[in-house]
Amino acid sequence: MIPDRARVVFVGAGPGAPDLITLRGARAIAAADVVLWARSLVMEGVLEHAREDAEIVDSASLTLEDQREIYERAARKGLCVARIHSGDTAIYSAVGEQIRVLEEIGLPYEIVPGVSSLAAAAATLGQELTVPELAQSLILTRREGRSPMPPAERLEAFARHGTTMALFLSIARAAELQEELIAGGYAPDALCAVVYRASWPDERVLRCPLGELAERVSEAGIDRQALVLVGPGLRDARTRSHLYDPRHDHRFREAVG
Ligand code: SAH
């Protein structure tokens, strides 16, 4: 029998700044007996929410098998584990493989979403990433790295849409990224922005045409923890939304004129 208290709460801890965690996430950390986090990806301040007597484990050097041991111990001893992930848990968080382990062990889990680095990067840029009538879709993806990409999800294929793309986990290969996006159909003068460590004290922003991406990233010495945005969503919106247009009515407002 697994004790009632035993469970895992996956917490999306936000992009870095400790006050960009949700109230629910902070409460889950405060209630935990064990806090599992990746020191290199999440700011230390997030741990201020943890109990003084909580066991804090850095996941950076742990394999999935090591994490399984922590989860098995939690199941035996009735411990509540807060498993902290950067940004939101829905993208590139490796929550999926841990959930399968928990299901094998029979340990219940819950997921608390977080502020993704995408949201933080857009906020840093001071922009909405959709532009009425011009750019209504966002593609979130990555370059092929050590993890291969499914054949239908190659960057060139996505670039063909010409819509706004957010590239995760790809900054270390900025030259290949630039080349593949242009090969897919973006013009070399397509708008491009890089946000390094959005919301951290050493956050940096680069804006340049796509054709200068690799050069600018290399000059700036940025090779990790950065999001690349490209496409029409980065332009100044000159079109306006229907939502706040007096000529359009909707459920909460009648049209004027
Ligand atoms: N689940 C996370 C993404 C984890 S994958 C999220 O929702 O944001 C790690 C990648 O996310 C990094 O390679 C980088 O591309 C991006 N990233 C994470 N934190 C970031 C930050 N503070 N600023 C910019 N990019 C960040």
Side-chain angles (χ1 to χ4, degrees):
M1 261 298 274
I2 294 180
D4 269 357
R5 183 174 169 71
R7 64 204 192 99
V8 175
V9 184
F10 294 103
V11 178
D19 58 350
L20 279 178
I21 192 169
T22 65
L23 292 174
R24 191 183 292 187
R27 285 184 193 128
I29 294 172
D33 305 303
V34 180
V35 178
L36 197 49
W37 75 309
R39 175 181 298 275
S40 56
L41 299 175
V42 178
M43 263 171 85
E44 194 124 26
V46 165
L47 294 182
E48 277 166 20
H49 302 289
R51 286 198 331 249
E52 264 188 22
D53 63 337
E55 178 187 346
I56 311 285
V57 183
D58 182 2
S59 65
S61 59
L62 301 184
T63 60
L64 182 61
E65 288 68 21
D66 297 330
Q67 293 173 59
R68 182 188 187 104
E69 279 177 26
I70 295 174
Y71 296 146
E72 283 172 343
R73 178 159 59 92
R76 270 196 320 275
K77 300 196 170 165
L79 302 175
C80 172
V81 181
R83 173 61 164 114
I84 302 182
H85 287 276
S86 72
D88 180 43
T89 44
I91 21 182
Y92 309 120
S93 67
V95 161
E97 59 187 24
Q98 296 176 71
I99 288 175
R100 285 191 293 280
V101 166
L102 298 178
E103 283 170 350
E104 281 167 28
I105 301 174
L107 192 57
Y109 69 89
E110 182 190 325
I111 299 179
V112 179
V115 176
S116 172
S117 57
L118 173 69
T124 290
L125 293 170
Q127 279 193 292
E128 176 182 355
L129 295 177
T130 51
V131 182
E133 294 173 41
L134 292 176
Q136 289 288 283
S137 311
L138 262 175
I139 294 175
L140 313 190
T141 187
R142 58 170 299 172
R143 247 205 102 243
E144 186 159 59
R146 269 185 292 175
S147 340
M149 289 292 279
E153 295 187 23
R154 303 192 62 82
L155 275 195
E156 286 95 333
F158 283 136
R160 232 162 268 145
H161 289 271
T163 188
T164 312
M165 284 174 77
L167 289 313
F168 291 74
L169 295 159
S170 302
I171 197 71
R173 300 243 175 246
E176 288 90 335
L177 182 64
Q178 171 182 328
E179 199 176 295
E180 288 163 11
L181 290 172
I182 292 176
Y186 282 105
D189 65 353
L191 296 172
C192 184
V194 176
V195 184
Y196 167 73
R197 302 241 260 188
S199 89
W200 290 63
D202 55 352
E203 163 188 289
R204 283 158 75 189
V205 175
L206 303 176
R207 281 184 187 266
C208 63
L210 178 59
E212 289 172 21
L213 173 71
E215 194 186 322
R216 296 286 302 277
V217 164
S218 145
E219 271 167 20
I222 298 174
D223 60 0
R224 62 196 190 99
Q225 274 183 294
L227 204 67
V228 178
L229 294 157
V230 63
L234 291 172
R235 65 202 266 167
D236 279 344
R238 298 285 176 220
T239 48
R240 57 180 292 174
S241 71
H242 284 197
L243 182 62
Y244 295 113
D245 185 334
R247 289 167 302 170
H248 291 272
D249 61 356
H250 58 68
R251 200 139 61 97
F252 302 105
R253 197 187 57 227
E254 282 179 17
V256 190

